[in-house]
Amino acid sequence: MLTTHNCGELTSKEAGTKVTLCGWVDTLRIQGKIGFLLLRDRYGITQVFLNPELSKEIATLPKESVVVIEGEVKKRPANQVKKEMSTGEIEVSATTIDIISRSETPLPIEITEETTTHIDKRLDYRFLDLRRNKIAAIFKIRSVIYALTNEFFIKEKFININTPKLTKSGVESGAEEFKIDYFGKKASLAQSPQVYKQMFVVAGLEKVFEIGPIFRAEKSHTTRHLTEFIGIDFEMGFIKDEHDVMDVIEKYFTFLLEKLIKQCAEELTVVGVKLNIPPKIPRLDMPEIKKLLKEKGKTIPENEDLDAEAEKLLGEIVKKKYHSDFVFTLGYPWAKRPFYHMRPENNPKVTRSFDLIYNGVEIATGAQREHRLEILEKQCKEKGIDLKKLEFYRDIFRYGVIPHGGVGMGLDRIVEQMLNLGNIREAILLPRDPERLTP
Ligand code: 4AD
Ligand code: MG
């Protein structure tokens, strides 16, 4: 390693020690003959004291250049520590400075915490945008969410599967496919692992999950839609009804939030959010939801979905009434749901499906699946879908199939809503939308 320590770990315990640090020039202040350099790496910032000779040597070094510094750890006077807490109780008095990489100037974006650079430009230079503390914190939190998600589903005895992303045809009616040429054959990028997760539950794995990419050729220009996102999908067998699926989701979010609050305390402070552990998540049926919305002046016609405005409004209502950031919305109309959702015996106009709304935005859609082939075929006919085209999907239901259900959740939306980022593009390193294909 080039370094003996990182910029976050030195304390007065190391006073008198000779150390080597390496990082980016965050700030360089030359004051008369002497100077101070704030050296930054992913762990923090260390103040480096520059004697007159070194000050002169690097006086014109641009911000974001990379240097290696050798020096001695010195305790800072108490009055200075108070003034600049961010750099801690020590500083390093430099003896040598090696310039490893001189940054070009000017920087294409503003690398300051309160940047005024437009999001499009920031995303063009995402690798520089990440040098901001807040942006780096978002992705440290996302990484922990990813790891905790794996931990939770493994703990709950789900089996991690990886399903093909190159497919013949999707089953997500409504969601547009990205068509590709597969050695002269028509193919598309997977819009969902739906068929495969059902396949492996029926195969006998019983409980499966996948965290993987999902592709949707939706020309949506909203703060909630991407054309490529990460789905957290799970599917489980031997369920009594869709409430069994919701129980797992509820347990997952309680686990996730409890652990995050502890494991990411520092990053959450940097991003400026306070997370709440969900109380019992309310499960509201469509008639009740419509009534609540109507009281606030929003009418949803029969057989219609909740639009973004309705979801936002419902989020506010639930927050007031149930003190919950989350709400399960149940009983979506058959007209708006895909053919594989099960319908209750006594009401074919609705489905045994649900969405999960988090702070006013849909983050998950799930259902009990129809596993009885005759009914599934009838439902296909009603939707004008030719099951023959989905022959291998049809086969799943022919040789002993268990009642099952599951859900698709969007990781990027979860991160966006949890951290109150205002735009899904803030929650993913390199977003893909109808306009953005680079970097
Ligand atoms: O609601 P969706 O389309 O449902 C399915 O894919 C079903 N197969 C799920 C199931 O198991 N029944 O997608 C699931 C979730 C959404 O709730 C949302 O969080 C996310 O995936 N999502 C998107 N995220 C970003 N950009 C998009 N274009 C998204 N479309 C869906
Ligand atoms: Mg949905």
Side-chain angles (χ1 to χ4, degrees), residues 326-338:
F326 294 86
V327 55
F328 283 114
T329 49
L330 279 63
Y332 279 80
W334 163 246
K336 292 289 166 189
R337 290 305 225 207

Side-chain angles (χ1 to χ4, degrees), residues 337 355 362 364-365:
R337 290 305 225 207
D355 273 9
E362 176 208 318
T365 292

Side-chain angles (χ1 to χ4, degrees), residues 136-357:
I138 293 169
F139 292 97
K140 287 177 197 163
I141 296 168
R142 183 176 160 129
S143 162
V144 176
I145 293 175
Y146 191 98
L148 288 172
T149 303
N150 263 305
E151 189 185 327
F152 173 80
F153 284 105
I154 295 292
K155 180 174 79 67
E156 293 293 318
K157 303 216 164 16
F158 282 76
I159 292 175
N160 184 204
I161 57 171
N162 298 108
T163 64
K165 303 306 158 203
L166 292 168
T167 64
K168 212 165 158 200
S169 168
V171 257
E172 287 302 326
S173 55
E176 294 289 332
E177 296 178 348
F178 277 113
K179 306 265 189 253
I180 51 169
D181 174 75
Y182 193 72
F183 306 117
K185 286 195 204 104
K186 279 188 191 156
S188 55
L189 296 176
Q191 300 163 298
S192 152
Q194 187 62 38
V195 287
Y196 299 114
K197 55 181 185 165
Q198 289 190 254
M199 177 187 277
F200 294 116
V201 164
V202 171
L205 298 185
E206 291 185 25
K207 290 161 90 174
V208 299
F209 80 104
E210 175 167 17
I211 308 176
I214 292 191
F215 303 93
R216 302 269 171 100
E218 291 174 294
K219 268 213 155 153
S220 312
H221 295 86
T222 74
T223 53
R224 306 185 306 285
H225 290 93
L226 298 167
T227 50
E228 176 180 349
F229 62 92
I230 297 297
I232 303 171
D233 271 87
F234 76 80
E235 200 75 16
M236 55 197 276
F238 298 118
I239 60 168
K240 194 158 120 279
D241 56 33
E242 65 278 26
H243 287 276
D244 290 331
V245 180
M246 285 183 263
D247 290 345
V248 175
I249 298 173
E250 193 159 347
K251 201 167 172 190
Y252 163 67
F253 276 103
T254 306
F255 172 89
L256 183 63
L257 287 160
E258 276 178 2
K259 296 262 177 178
L260 268 181
I261 288 170
K262 287 196 192 116
Q263 292 183 20
C264 291
E266 207 180 309
E267 288 80 7
L268 288 167
T269 308
V270 170
V271 178
V273 290
K274 197 179 162 299
L275 295 180
N276 305 313
I277 312 273
K280 180 93 193 112
I281 300 179
R283 299 178 185 187
L284 306 182
D285 226 333
M286 215 39 87
E288 190 184 351
I289 294 166
K290 288 187 178 174
K291 196 175 131 248
L292 288 171
L293 288 171
K294 201 159 181 199
E295 284 167 11
K296 296 276 172 198
K298 171 95 187 163
T299 309
I300 307 287
E302 211 194 331
N303 287 336
E304 272 309 316
D305 222 340
L306 301 179
D307 56 24
E309 189 191 37
E311 285 172 357
K312 187 160 180 274
L313 191 55
L314 185 65
E316 287 162 14
I317 295 169
V318 167
K319 182 97 188 151
K320 259 212 187 114
K321 197 164 170 194
Y322 300 95
H323 311 287
S324 173
D325 296 339
F326 294 86
V327 55
F328 283 114
T329 49
L330 279 63
Y332 279 80
W334 163 246
K336 292 289 166 189
R337 290 305 225 207
F339 73 89
Y340 56 82
H341 282 196
M342 187 181 265
R343 294 191 273 184
E345 305 297 337
N346 58 359
N347 187 1
K349 280 192 168 165
V350 301
T351 50
R352 297 208 353 208
S353 70
F354 60 86
D355 273 9
L356 178 61
I357 315 271

